[in-house]
Structures are given as C-alpha cells and as structure tokens.
Amino acid sequence: MAEEILLDVQHLTHVFPLGRRMSVRAVDDLSFQIRRGEIFGLVGESGSGKSTAARCVMNLCRPQSGRILYKGIDTCDRAAFRANRRMLQTTRQLIFQDTSSSLNQRMRVWDIIAEPLRLQHVVPPRGSLRAEAAFQMHYVGLDESFLDKYPPELSGGQRQRVAIARALAMEPELLVADEPIASLDVSIQAQIVNLFKHLQQEHGFSFLFIAHDLAMVEFLCDRVGVMYRGRLVETAPTAELFSNPLHPYTQALLSAIPIPDPRRERSRQLVTFHGENLPPGGALREAGPDHFVLRSLGSGED
C-alpha cells in the first residue's frame, strides 16, 4: 500500500515586491511532498527561500501561485481554509528560530504552553491548563520549577524547549520548525535535535525541518530537499543524498561540511558552484529510486 501523503506542495511561487518595478522571487515553482510520520529536511544557504516556503505552508504568506494540499485540502483556497480553519489551526504547529520574539516575554511559561489550548477551547486532557503545561514541560525535559518563570529568566535552549512544548500541547499531525537550532550553542543544538527525534518517534507526527546545519539534517531527517535561489534542485532519501549528490549545488554544499580530523580537513577539496550555471526553467527528473534532480528541459541526461 502506498504511503499516505500528508502535505503536498505543488508549483509554489511567492514574490516579494521591492517597489513599482522591482521584486524578489523568493520561492520559484517549488514542489515537494511529506508523508505521514516522515521527517523531511529542507536545506540551502541563507536567502534560498526555505523560511518563505515554511510561511506559505503555514498560511502566514499567501503565494502568488501554486497549491498547498494538507490532508487533501487546498489551504491556499480561502473558502476551503475558512471551512477547515479549526482543524488547520490545531493539527499544524510552527516553531520559530527566534524564541525572544515568538514567546510573549510578559507571560509565565505555563501560560505560554497553555495558550493554544485556551484559544482553541480544547479541554485539557489532564484536567487543568496548568497540569497540562506541567506534563508537556516534563515531556521536553523541564521540571515544574519553570512553570512560573518568564522567558527572559530562561536560557536559549530552555526557551526553545518551551516553544516545542507549546507546539506539542496541540498534538499536531504536522510540525514545521524553521531553523529552530540556528541561534543555539552546539551542545544545546545536539540536545534539541535528539529531543526532536525522540518526540517524533513517540508521537509519530510528520515534520518539516528547515536548517542549514547539514550534520543535524543527516542525523534527523528521512528525506532531504536542497533549495537554491527559491528552487528545489535535488531531493532524495538522506543516506542517498549524502552518499551520492548529483546536482552541482548539492555537491558544493556537502563539500563544505567541516571534517573533525585536522589532516583530512587540510586536504579537503571544495566543490565550486556558480549560480549562472543554473539553467532557467527545467524540471525535477528521477535519477534513482525516490531521487530527483533538477535538469534543464533540453538536457539529455537521464
């Protein structure tokens, strides 16, 4: 039986106007799918369109064209969105990179975690909003002593755990994390990624993980999509992508990963990719099982 597709992004394009005559095409004809229970990583350098794609998926940006099907519902269609608003707002959750702005600095931790339940009028499974917040905090590795603290009293890693607890309180089917570890120390990054892996195994939610740390993506994700200038240039199962990158940009990206061994690091050969080599147009073509690469329409490559 074919795996069920939870999220299906089809030919998504989003343009930011910079004035009367100038604009930036942040996302350009982007298509990808996320299956139920899958962790899909979206990687690329800063400005490649990853965060804009996430915002479109969560209906924080309205794309110029394309479709975003969540559980078969076109969330870009205003009538369909209104008809399914409650379901869409409860089963999809977003974790931002900057917890200093995504968490209300004047609210206590337990109020922050319980706020989605309160707004959606969800009856707390554990009797009260405070008890539910305490349970979710325990789940992400924080004890009850943090319940009455405020975000400025917490470290960056602790604030990110609070943001994760807030998202999980709604028991989402799709979790979108937009570079959730980028602003954290390396040791804390490892803790948060391990937490994500554990929570995904426990809950079974589908996960769109956006990052530029390729080592973390390799450890966490089932499949990976590589973005460059708003376009998806390659997508494949994680092990396949890291062992057999086919697109020149993917090869350049992976060659830049630091090697812990100083001798091997000194002899490491960097692959150079020039943006002008990216052909206009083109389409993703299958190069192997579940492995797709952007090729120009006139390319004779298989």
Side-chain angles (χ1 to χ4, degrees):
M1 184 174 66
E3 295 177 276
E4 184 181 352
I5 302 299
L6 182 68
L7 179 72
D8 189 2
V9 177
Q10 301 176 357
H11 306 290
L12 186 71
T13 297
H14 187 67
V15 179
F16 289 107
L18 299 180
R20 290 185 177 180
R21 300 183 179 179
M22 295 183 64
S23 62
V24 173
R25 191 175 288 262
V27 178
D28 185 5
D29 196 28
L30 178 68
S31 297
F32 66 89
Q33 297 176 328
I34 299 180
R35 301 157 186 147
R36 280 195 178 273
E38 178 181 49
I39 304 178
F40 183 81
L42 204 54
V43 302
E45 59 195 16
S46 296
S48 61
K50 308 184 301 296
S51 295
T52 302
R55 287 176 169 272
C56 290
V57 165
M58 295 300 293
N59 295 106
L60 299 180
C61 289
R62 183 172 177 79
Q64 269 67 34
S65 63
R67 303 174 74 206
I68 301 172
L69 301 177
Y70 173 73
K71 300 174 75 171
I73 298 164
D74 186 357
T75 63
C76 296
D77 181 87
R78 292 181 179 178
F81 182 88
R82 284 195 299 269
N84 297 277
R85 181 188 297 272
R86 179 177 170 80
M87 183 276 290
L88 292 170
Q89 291 181 340
T90 55
T91 65
R92 305 178 306 164
Q93 295 296 314
L94 175 62
I95 299 172
F96 294 96
Q97 174 184 344
D98 184 11
T99 52
S100 62
S101 60
S102 65
L103 301 182
N104 190 324
Q105 306 297 295
R106 297 185 178 183
M107 290 178 67
R108 291 172 295 179
V109 164
W110 81 265
D111 281 322
I112 291 172
I113 296 173
E115 186 178 27
L117 298 170
R118 187 184 301 113
L119 292 175
Q120 296 297 331
H121 307 290
V122 175
V123 177
R126 284 149 196 95
S128 70
L129 292 174
R130 187 180 176 92
E132 185 65 27
F135 174 82
Q136 296 298 341
M137 284 187 60
H138 173 74
Y139 221 74
V140 299
L142 294 175
D143 60 53
E144 293 188 24
S145 64
F146 290 91
L147 283 173
D148 292 306
K149 292 185 180 294
Y150 293 86
E153 300 178 85
L154 308 180
S155 68
Q158 290 167 343
R159 288 198 302 270
Q160 198 59 279
R161 287 172 185 264
V162 171
I164 295 168
R166 177 177 62 182
L168 291 180
M170 297 302 293
E171 298 184 355
E173 295 180 52
L174 175 66
L175 186 64
V176 177
D178 184 10
E179 302 211 25
I181 60 174
S183 60
L184 304 176
D185 294 337
V186 174
S187 61
I188 306 300
Q189 288 182 1
Q191 292 178 21
I192 297 298
V193 168
N194 276 314
L195 176 63
F196 277 138
K197 197 172 187 71
H198 169 73
L199 292 174
Q200 196 277 336
Q201 290 171 347
E202 288 280 323
H203 290 263
F205 52 77
S206 299
F207 193 6
L208 174 57
F209 181 71
I210 296 170
H212 57 255
D213 188 324
L214 294 171
M216 295 298 182
V217 168
E218 183 179 18
F219 171 75
L220 180 65
C221 299
D222 301 310
R223 283 192 307 130
V224 181
V226 181
M227 287 189 70
Y228 179 73
R229 293 186 180 177
R231 300 170 70 185
L232 195 64
V233 298
E234 188 166 0
T235 178
T238 304
E240 170 68 12
L241 186 87
F242 278 78
S243 63
N244 184 32
L246 297 180
H247 194 276
Y249 177 68
T250 308
Q251 294 168 359
L253 206 61
L254 296 183
S255 75
I257 300 175
I259 301 173
D261 186 333
R263 292 182 181 177
R264 292 178 57 203
E265 174 68 20
R266 281 194 293 270
S267 61
R268 175 164 58 107
Q269 301 254 338
L270 291 175
V271 177
T272 303
F273 176 75
H274 301 287
E276 58 269 20
N277 294 339
L278 188 66
L284 289 171
R285 297 186 177 182
E286 190 166 13
D290 209 16
H291 190 166
F292 297 86
V293 185
L294 182 68
R295 306 289 193 197
S296 61
L297 293 176
S299 173
E301 297 176 80
D302 294 329

